[in-house]
Amino acid sequence: MLPDHTDLIEQFETTIAAYLSPGTVETRTYYVRRLAQWASAHDNHILSLELKDILTWLSKSIGPSPWTKRSAKSSASVFYKWARRHRYTEHNLADDFPTISAPKGIPNPCPESAVTAALRRCTRIQDVMMLLLGEYQGLRASETAQLHTSDFDPVHDQLRVTGKGNKTRILPLHPIVKEALAHFNPGFLFPSDRNPTGHILGRSLGRRVRHLLGHVPKLNAHSLRHKFGCETLELNPDLLALRDLLGHESVETTQIYARASAQRLQKMVFALPTKPDRMSTLTEIDAGTNARHQ
C-alpha cells in the first residue's frame, strides 16, 4: 500500500531539514506538496507518477519562468532520490529528468523611488528592517527570515548569515542596520508562533516585502538584493568580493551584475574622445551629395 501523501512529505521534510537550510527546505517541500496535490487531482500517487506525468506537471501547472520550472524540477528530483534511498520506490525517477536550461539573467535592481515609497508604507520596525537587510546587506528573503539577534556582532560590526546549502558566511554589518538593530529585543527579528522554527518563513517575508513595494511587478525582496549588488559593484568593481557578500557558489552567477550596469557602460562609452575630423568628413560628404542632387 502506498503511504499517505501527508505522512510521506512530513518524513521527507524532516530528513532534508537535517542538512539543508530552512529556506531550501521550504522551497523543496512547497513544490513536492504541489506535485502530490497534482497527482491526487489526477487520481494518482506521487510515487506512481511516470516521467510523462512530471513533464505534464512542469508544463501545465508550473509558471512559465524557466527559473521556476528548474526549481520545481530540482525539488522533485531531490524527493525521488530520497524516496529511492528510503525504499519507497525501486526506481529513481529523477534519473530520467531532462535538463532545464535557463537564460543568464540580468539584474533587476529596485529603484530608489520604490524603496522610498515602501518606507512610507512601513507600520512596524520589522518592516523597515526587512527593507534594510535586502538593500544594505544583500540578503535573500530566506536568509533574512531566520535572523536572530545572536547573529549580529555589533562590537566587531559583523553579521552571521546562513544561506543556501546551510552554508554560513560572515558579512560586514552596515552602520544603518546596526543602528536599526538597537530597536529590537533579544530573539528572532521576525518571530512566528505558527512556525516550529520560531521565525517566519522566507515566503511569508517575501509577501510582506512585495506589499511594502506596492505589488509592482518584478519589485520584490530579490530586487532589493539586486539593488545591493549593482550599487556595491558600482562603488567597487571587485567581483570576487561581491560573490562572497552575496553568498554565490560561483563567480559566474555574480557576473550578471558586471554585465548590466547601464550607468557604468554609458560612462565607458561616453569617455571615448570625440575626434573633430570624424564629423567634419561626414559633413563634407553629406554636403557634396546634396549639391549633386540639386
Side-chain angles (χ1 to χ4, degrees):
M1 176 181 287
L2 292 170
D4 177 73
H5 274 152
T6 301
D7 294 339
L8 184 69
I9 295 173
E10 282 182 359
Q11 293 178 46
F12 169 69
E13 183 175 14
T14 300
T15 302
I16 64 174
Y19 61 91
L20 295 178
S21 69
T24 304
V25 172
E26 180 190 357
T27 299
R28 296 291 178 248
T29 53
Y30 168 75
Y31 283 114
V32 171
R33 284 196 182 97
R34 285 187 59 178
L35 178 58
Q37 290 167 358
W38 183 88
S40 297
H42 290 79
D43 298 321
N44 210 332
H45 191 281
I46 192 171
L47 295 175
S48 301
L49 296 177
E50 300 177 3
L51 179 60
K52 60 181 179 63
D53 299 317
I54 301 296
L55 297 179
T56 300
W57 174 66
L58 289 171
S59 61
K60 303 293 186 181
S61 299
I62 301 299
S65 166
W67 294 280
T68 303
K69 290 184 185 296
R70 190 163 63 178
S71 181
K73 190 212 80 167
S74 297
S75 299
S77 179
V78 171
F79 170 78
Y80 283 111
K81 288 178 182 177
W82 169 85
R84 176 65 184 87
R85 281 198 306 269
H86 289 77
R87 303 184 183 281
Y88 283 110
T89 178
E90 294 183 359
H91 173 62
N92 179 9
L93 190 59
D95 290 339
D96 302 323
F97 285 1
T99 300
I100 298 180
S101 59
K104 289 186 177 180
I106 60 172
N108 174 41
C110 186
E112 180 65 25
S113 58
V115 178
T116 301
L119 288 169
R120 289 196 294 266
R121 296 187 185 98
C122 292
T123 58
R124 308 170 301 172
I125 58 173
Q126 283 86 357
D127 291 341
V128 178
M129 187 61 113
M130 288 177 186
L131 299 175
L132 294 180
L133 288 166
E135 183 184 16
Y136 286 95
Q137 300 288 172
L139 302 192
R140 302 177 178 94
S142 58
E143 296 170 341
T144 298
Q146 58 185 304
L147 283 178
H148 193 281
T149 51
S150 62
D151 293 319
F152 294 81
D153 181 359
V155 176
H156 299 95
D157 293 326
Q158 292 181 333
L159 168 61
R160 181 179 64 241
V161 177
T162 302
K164 287 185 175 180
N166 246 358
K167 293 181 179 178
T168 301
R169 65 186 188 276
I170 303 297
L171 303 179
L173 181 60
H174 193 283
I176 194 171
V177 177
K178 178 179 178 179
E179 184 178 349
L181 182 65
H183 295 271
F184 286 78
N185 295 320
F188 286 114
L189 267 59
F190 310 102
S192 171
D193 295 331
R194 292 184 293 178
N195 187 3
T197 61
H199 60 74
I200 65 172
L201 296 174
R203 197 173 300 278
S204 299
L205 187 142
R207 283 196 295 269
R208 181 62 182 173
V209 172
R210 283 196 298 274
H211 166 75
L212 294 174
L213 291 171
H215 293 288
V216 177
K218 296 186 178 182
L219 293 189
N220 47 45
H222 219 65
S223 68
L224 292 172
R225 176 173 160 86
H226 282 197
K227 184 177 190 291
F228 169 85
C230 290
E231 292 182 353
T232 302
L233 196 62
E234 197 72 48
L235 293 170
N236 188 349
D238 186 337
L239 275 177
L240 293 178
L242 183 59
R243 177 200 62 186
D244 293 342
L245 289 173
L246 292 173
H248 287 157
E249 187 72 25
S250 168
V251 74
E252 290 184 6
T253 307
T254 317
Q255 283 177 338
I256 66 168
Y257 296 96
R259 285 177 19 191
S261 174
Q263 184 178 358
R264 187 168 65 255
L265 293 176
Q266 184 185 68
K267 195 179 300 182
M268 290 172 65
V269 173
F270 285 13
L272 292 171
T274 300
K275 298 178 175 64
D277 61 333
R278 304 303 195 266
M279 284 307 299
S280 61
T281 301
L282 177 62
T283 303
E284 290 172 6
I285 293 174
D286 190 41
T289 302
N290 290 335
R292 285 196 297 271
H293 284 85
Q294 287 179 355

